[in-house]
Amino acid sequence: MPLIPLRPVLEAAETHGYAQGAFNVNAVCQAKAVIEVHEMLRSPAILQGADLANAFMGGRTDFQNGTLEDKKKGAKNIADAVRKYGEQSPIPVVLHLDHGRDFDSCVAAIEGGYTSVMIDGSSLPYEENVELTREVVKYAHPRGVSVEGELGVLAGVEDHVFAQNSTYTNPLTAVDFLKKTGVDALAISYGTMHGASKGKDVKLRREIPIAIRECMSHEGIRAFLVSHGSSTVPQYIVQEINALGGEIQNAYGISKEELKAAIPCGIRKINVDTDIRLAVTRNLRELFRDCPELKADPVVGPIWTLLDEKRAAFDPRAFLPPIMDTVMYGTGEGEALARITGAIERGVKEAVGTLIVEFGSVGRYPLVRMDTLETMIRRYKEGV
């Protein structure tokens, strides 16, 4: 089955009252693992490549400095990987750009094979955010591609997204934004934060999505609310990393109970990245502990060197540059490399599988309309 846009997946979540996890990937083996665990649990799947993940998958190990050309190359690499595993899958699979930085980044993702894009204009003045988002919608919808926007500012750090303080989303402004832009989904600020340092015992402002949904209903707007910065940062994984030589401090997430309580308030897509990073990093450290001979392996030994040097890091992109061909294309042979990719895949499945269950999308894939890009071109044109 071809990859499908975001909108049909969120329509099913809205109709049946659950949330769909959206999980970030930065390597071919991660994409494989995300799809496989969704298949096992019969859940629809949303895989996300962040704007700078595209740069990394384009071979730019200093991805913070990635160029548009790097992103074009990486977008195709991610899309090729997701198609490889997703088109042979019975479940609906979406490939979504997370935090598109500008119009050109969104175009690069769409041309590379993404079926959904997020344009993040939340740091811009309101009218500029509206105009930028509207331009992306005008480009994407005639191609059948869904669009997510963002309104309000989330504190925290994730790739190039940084804000010291949060600005909650104003429900009346959200409705105006939805009417002017025509986006399919809207990321809102209601208490979540990017990164692993969210603080203890975060309480979400559930009245915000409730109010937005009430206003949307009054205006007859059919769009879907998204929760960014929603990693749970499992404490058992943090503790295991530190017991294995890591030095991660002050890492706390949004509790699963808080996230689950937001679902009846209208949250339909929940973005998770940090949980996956932590589980993969833990597994890599554990692998080198249990198989110390790998430290001297010419292919994967340099990964251990980086793990040992960067004890406070937990983003696997800090450790994987020695095997970039495997990251970008899924190529490479040998038992040592297979152990690395196996450890990565198990970590992804642990983090993702847990949240598929918690968010309620287990067994839901038959509920999703399998609308292809071609079908969505017609739907967008007809406004249905």
Side-chain angles (χ1 to χ4, degrees):
M1 178 71 194
L3 306 186
I4 71 170
L6 179 66
R7 188 174 188 93
V9 172
L10 297 190
E11 286 173 337
E14 177 72 18
T15 298
H16 298 281
Y18 63 93
Q20 187 69 47
F23 302 101
N24 288 57
V25 298
N26 299 290
V28 170
C29 64
Q30 290 185 344
K32 173 177 178 285
V34 170
I35 291 171
E36 287 179 349
V37 72
H38 279 85
E39 285 179 348
M40 182 180 72
L41 295 172
R42 296 176 60 84
S43 169
I46 302 171
L47 287 80
Q48 298 192 147
D51 190 43
L52 294 185
N54 284 342
F56 183 71
M57 283 289 284
R60 190 67 181 248
T61 56
D62 60 333
F63 52 88
Q64 295 282 359
N65 299 313
T67 66
L68 183 60
E69 290 306 310
D70 296 325
K71 295 174 186 179
K72 288 180 178 179
K73 182 179 178 182
K76 183 179 183 303
N77 288 340
I78 291 180
D80 285 349
V82 175
R83 278 195 297 266
K84 177 180 178 180
Y85 299 104
E87 288 185 344
Q88 303 304 315
S89 176
I91 64 171
V93 177
V94 178
L95 178 57
H96 177 75
L97 176 67
D98 188 27
H99 288 289
R101 193 169 192 171
D102 50 35
F103 181 84
D104 289 339
S105 294
C106 292
V107 171
I110 293 169
E111 291 181 345
Y114 279 67
T115 57
S116 180
V117 295
M118 183 220 179
I119 178 64
D120 184 0
S122 61
S123 64
L124 300 173
Y126 177 70
E127 291 301 333
E128 292 181 29
N129 186 5
V130 167
E131 182 59 27
L132 173 61
T133 305
R134 184 163 48 205
E135 288 305 305
V136 172
V137 171
K138 287 180 180 178
Y139 180 85
H141 278 184
R143 292 163 173 81
V145 173
S146 302
V147 180
E148 176 184 321
E150 182 166 345
L151 192 62
V153 178
L154 273 68
V157 180
E158 181 180 293
D159 285 355
H160 63 254
V161 182
F162 169 79
Q164 193 166 17
N165 298 300
S166 293
T167 302
Y168 291 122
T169 303
N170 182 311
L172 295 178
T173 308
V175 169
D176 183 69
F177 184 87
L178 290 166
K179 291 169 69 173
K180 288 180 176 177
T181 62
V183 291
D184 301 273
L186 181 65
I188 63 170
S189 175
Y190 72 119
T192 57
M193 293 177 64
H194 288 127
S197 300
K198 305 180 195 298
K200 289 185 177 181
D201 303 320
V202 173
K203 299 297 181 185
L204 299 180
R205 296 278 302 274
R206 294 193 293 274
E207 67 271 19
I208 293 175
I210 290 172
I212 294 173
R213 289 238 303 170
E214 287 293 326
C215 293
M216 289 168 57
S217 178
H218 185 267
E219 295 294 325
I221 297 170
R222 180 76 167 171
F224 310 97
L225 301 184
V226 176
S227 183
H228 279 225
S230 301
S231 287
T232 65
V233 189
Q235 290 302 292
Y236 77 94
I237 299 180
V238 174
Q239 292 163 9
E240 288 172 336
I241 290 173
N242 289 341
L244 290 161
E247 296 176 354
I248 300 175
Q249 305 296 324
N250 300 316
Y252 302 99
I254 309 298
S255 73
K256 291 191 287 288
E257 290 71 28
E258 282 292 300
L259 291 171
K260 289 164 68 175
I263 295 171
C265 303
I267 296 297
R268 296 292 168 241
K269 173 172 170 278
I270 301 177
N271 287 14
V272 176
D273 186 357
T274 301
D275 291 12
I276 297 169
R277 297 182 185 190
L278 290 166
V280 168
T281 296
R282 187 273 320 276
N283 278 16
L284 290 174
R285 288 190 171 277
E286 200 167 59
L287 176 64
F288 282 104
R289 180 200 66 188
D290 295 342
C291 305
E293 69 276 10
L294 293 179
K295 296 178 182 179
D297 184 89
V299 175
V300 305
I303 296 174
W304 164 252
T305 300
L306 293 171
L307 280 162
D308 196 41
E309 289 174 354
K310 302 180 179 183
R311 294 172 177 265
F314 59 87
D315 183 343
R317 289 176 293 184
F319 317 125
L320 296 181
I323 58 167
M324 283 304 292
D325 280 355
T326 301
V327 168
M328 295 163 62
Y329 308 115
T331 55
E333 298 179 350
E335 182 182 351
L337 192 57
R339 288 186 182 185
I340 292 291
T341 56
I344 292 170
E345 290 177 22
R346 289 191 300 274
V348 170
K349 290 179 178 181
E350 175 186 345
V352 171
T354 299
L355 296 177
I356 292 173
V357 174
E358 295 286 358
F359 297 159
S361 67
V362 175
R364 303 284 193 170
Y365 99 75
L367 304 175
V368 177
R369 286 178 48 166
M370 295 293 201
D371 287 340
T372 63
L373 291 173
E374 290 71 25
T375 303
M376 286 305 303
I377 289 172
R378 175 184 57 79
R379 287 189 59 192
Y380 284 130
K381 185 175 182 179
E382 297 175 356
V384 297

